[in-house]
Amino acid sequence: MKIKFTPIVLIVTIFGLSCTQVQSNKATPLNPNGDSELALLMREMFDDGMRIKEQIKKGETPKVSKVFKEIHTVEATEPEKANSPEFEVFADAYLSSLEGLKNAASPHIPQSYNGVVESCMNCHRAMCPGPMVRIKKLYLEEEE
């Protein structure tokens, strides 16, 4: 009876250890400065942008489901930058371009969408250039 029990205990132990390792990998922050509320919000903005991009590429009318107005109030990794007048202007420009996309007529949707992405790039060029490589993935490619 003990011989049958030992392999089961060994398998359960190995499985338990492998699950523990996976959980610890999830806790690793993506940002070397930590994951601020603003960083998390911007990742959500990126994911939403990729979803909208795919809808446009499929010829669908994009669903702008969230407006991200909390960009003005969430905690930033570097609060002095996010509390600056420059950041406020860039955040307002983003919100305005997103509203423009929501209201864009069908033939203007791709241009309006790229305007939203450009508002992100403008802010990151001035405030925090690190994510620009990732943001570039949001642009719709020009049709040749």
Side-chain angles (χ1 to χ4, degrees):
M1 196 61 125
K2 254 187 167 179
I3 296 173
K4 291 181 181 180
F5 182 71
T6 304
I8 292 172
V9 170
L10 181 62
I11 291 169
V12 169
T13 302
I14 291 171
F15 179 75
L17 290 174
S18 67
C19 289
T20 303
Q21 184 178 3
V22 169
Q23 288 175 351
S24 67
N25 288 342
K26 287 182 181 178
T28 305
L30 295 176
N31 183 333
N33 296 324
D35 293 328
S36 69
E37 291 175 347
L38 184 58
L40 295 172
L41 179 69
M42 288 187 178
R43 286 187 206 132
E44 187 180 348
M45 291 161 69
F46 176 84
D47 292 342
D48 200 52
M50 289 299 285
R51 180 188 57 76
I52 291 170
K53 177 182 177 179
E54 288 306 311
Q55 289 175 333
I56 294 170
K57 286 171 70 174
K58 291 178 184 176
E60 300 172 2
T61 300
K63 307 267 186 296
V64 180
S65 55
K66 188 167 180 183
V67 181
F68 301 104
K69 288 183 181 180
E70 63 270 25
I71 194 169
H72 287 293
T73 58
V74 293
E75 177 189 335
T77 305
E78 297 180 51
E80 65 281 358
K81 285 185 179 181
N83 294 331
S84 71
E86 293 85 4
F87 180 81
E88 292 298 317
V89 169
F90 286 124
D92 285 341
Y94 168 77
L95 294 173
S96 178
S97 65
L98 194 58
E99 195 63 33
L101 176 60
K102 280 177 63 173
N103 298 317
S106 190
H108 303 292
I109 288 174
Q111 181 182 4
S112 293
Y113 170 78
N114 276 339
V116 172
V117 178
E118 189 62 21
S119 71
C120 297
M121 288 297 283
N122 288 338
C123 182
H124 282 275
R125 280 184 194 107
M127 306 294 290
C128 179
M132 288 173 56
V133 171
R134 188 166 189 222
I135 294 167
K136 286 180 183 177
K137 296 176 184 179
L138 289 169
Y139 284 108
L140 285 168
E141 294 83 24
E142 296 289 324
E143 294 198 28
E144 300 173 21

